[in-house]
Amino acid sequence: MAAALTRPTARQAFVHSAVRECARLRADPWDLALATWIPLLALALFAWMFAAGVPRDLPVALVDHDNSATSRELARMLDAAPGLRVAARPLGLPQAWSGVRAGDTFAVVYVPAGAEREILRGGSAVVFAHYNASHQTAGQAAAREIGDVVQAAGERIARGNVARTRGPDAVRPPPLRVQATVLANAARSYEHFLLGLLFPALLHLAACLTMVSALGRELPARRAGEWLRRCGDRLLPAVAGKLAPYLLLFTAYGAGSLVWLAAIRGGGVAGSATLLLAAQAAMYLAYAGIALLLVGATRNLGTALSATGLYAGTSLAFSGATFPTQGAPLFAQAWSQLLPFTAYLRLQAQQLDLGAAWTVSLPLLGVLLLFVLVAGGAGLLLYGRGARDPAAWGQR
């Protein structure tokens, strides 16, 4: 009867477990580092690396076999483009390929002989652009910039020729043209695109690792029984209290990364900032459930950490944000749907960039909460069995 009267309430068990975990973190500098300054340092490093926003002065080679006023004007326009720098003028294509292979240039612009003569005859000339797709971001950026410059030069030449031969009144816009409008990330900023992926990818992996470590260390250290007894054998409040410091820390880091991305370096949040912050918290809750499931299923800290690296470490590749999963093998599509990160990134794109209605993103928030319920519920059951089983203590 006395034991029953002194049994801590669920709130007391939660607070005791949270205070105990904070004290243990203060006593272990490496675990404290993994939960504090290491992810913050990585975030700062990423922010510094991509601070330029868009690629500038990408080196390209120009092979000019025409040697005409038109080709020289094109060369000046290429060098004046903010994203390009004519770094080499090789005499021929073989020399240009050598520069690409050496990594000195990302693209080659080739103006064939007779280009201006063909234009003066009333025909059209072709300027060839070859870009290095093994450096896809830089190569495609250079190719896009080259295309814009050549198109602008072509329109200028066409207007000049028509005005010269038929008079200024004959200059007309082309009968058919494309007007492309960027719907999100209008500046085409690689900083916004890449940091929007890298910040949550880094944080969810670090969060999952720290939570797996926090849960898993109780078994090999033989502290699981004592920890649960002090919490009145209230498993859910004990586990929630243990994970609460990490959930609060990483949710704060995630909110800070969104402030940097949207308010400091970007143009704000196009949709609901509240829903975006709720999705951040729900994602870390989902990975808390995953951490609980991995530790409970393996009862082995080393195995659980390895599984975390395999599961959370592949999130970015299979999320569909870098490469679309449509048309991918069935395994890739299924694996993508089994990652909370996939649902979060879709919601982030909807609310941060596209300004979607909150009703559109609610199902994705529900997917994240479903991970919490399913993975967390199964994990709690399995972890509870391990924590109460002395045969599992001492396993690494």
Side-chain angles (χ1 to χ4, degrees):
M1 178 67 69
L5 292 175
T6 58
R7 187 188 184 198
T9 63
R11 180 178 177 276
Q12 290 171 332
F14 174 88
V15 172
H16 169 78
S17 185
V19 170
R20 176 178 178 272
E21 188 62 24
C22 290
R24 201 215 58 77
L25 272 178
R26 286 195 300 269
D28 190 326
W30 286 112
D31 280 348
L32 182 63
L34 184 60
T36 54
W37 65 264
I38 288 180
L40 289 175
L41 179 62
L43 290 177
L45 180 62
F46 282 148
W48 171 73
M49 288 172 57
F50 298 106
V54 294
R56 299 288 183 184
D57 295 327
L58 293 170
V60 300
L62 174 63
V63 179
D64 183 6
H65 283 173
D66 194 41
N67 294 314
S68 63
T70 299
S71 64
R72 287 191 290 273
E73 176 64 16
L74 178 62
R76 284 193 292 270
M77 293 178 66
L78 288 169
D79 211 26
L84 299 175
R85 175 172 58 88
V86 179
R89 292 174 179 259
L91 296 177
L93 288 175
Q95 295 88 343
W97 304 146
S98 298
V100 173
R101 294 188 187 100
D104 297 331
T105 54
F106 292 111
V108 175
V109 182
Y110 173 54
V111 184
E116 185 179 63
R117 184 172 62 251
E118 188 64 31
I119 293 172
L120 294 176
R121 288 176 177 174
S124 60
V126 178
V127 174
F128 297 90
H130 309 270
Y131 70 92
N132 183 5
S134 65
H135 293 77
Q136 192 166 15
T137 299
Q140 286 187 341
R144 183 178 64 239
E145 195 88 4
I146 291 168
D148 292 343
V149 169
V150 172
Q151 181 178 355
E155 291 178 354
R156 180 185 300 182
I157 293 169
R159 288 195 301 268
N161 286 348
V162 171
R164 185 168 53 251
T165 58
R166 302 182 187 176
D169 294 338
V171 177
R172 295 287 185 271
L176 186 65
R177 61 187 301 180
V178 174
Q179 179 175 328
T181 302
V182 181
L183 296 178
N185 191 13
R188 296 191 291 192
S189 168
Y190 285 99
E191 177 191 26
H192 185 84
F193 168 67
L194 291 173
L195 291 186
L197 302 179
L198 292 175
F199 278 169
L202 164 72
L203 290 175
H204 91 273
L205 176 59
C208 201
L209 287 172
T210 56
M211 289 186 286
V212 165
S213 179
L215 293 166
R217 78 169 71 91
E218 298 293 344
L219 300 182
R222 300 177 179 273
R223 292 192 296 252
E226 181 270 338
W227 165 49
L228 288 181
R229 281 194 300 272
R230 287 184 176 272
C231 293
D233 202 37
R234 296 184 183 274
L235 181 64
L236 179 58
V239 169
K242 174 176 279 294
L243 298 181
Y246 306 103
L247 291 171
L248 290 174
L249 280 173
F250 282 94
T251 300
Y253 301 156
S257 70
L258 287 174
V259 169
W260 173 265
L261 194 64
I264 298 176
R265 301 292 294 177
V269 178
S272 169
T274 301
L275 187 56
L276 198 53
L277 291 174
Q280 278 269 343
M283 179 178 69
Y284 296 121
L285 275 172
Y287 279 101
I290 298 295
L292 193 58
L293 178 61
L294 292 176
V295 176
T298 62
R299 298 189 182 185
N300 183 287
L301 180 56
T303 304
L305 288 172
S306 299
T308 301
L310 178 64
Y311 179 77
T314 60
S315 294
L316 184 57
F318 286 90
S319 65
T322 52
F323 298 99
T325 55
Q326 291 85 351
L330 182 60
F331 170 80
Q333 297 185 47
W335 188 256
S336 176
Q337 298 305 312
L338 292 174
L339 298 168
F341 188 68
T342 301
Y344 171 75
L345 279 188
R346 289 182 59 193
L347 190 149
Q348 177 180 276
Q350 291 172 356
Q351 296 303 319
L352 180 62
D353 295 325
L354 297 173
W358 63 271
T359 51
V360 175
S361 298
L362 273 185
L364 294 172
L365 186 62
V367 170
L368 292 172
L369 296 178
L370 189 63
F371 276 102
V372 179
L373 294 175
V374 175
L380 188 67
L381 179 63
L382 294 172
Y383 186 77
R385 291 176 181 174
R388 294 186 177 106
D389 180 11
W393 302 349
Q395 292 185 21
R396 291 186 180 274

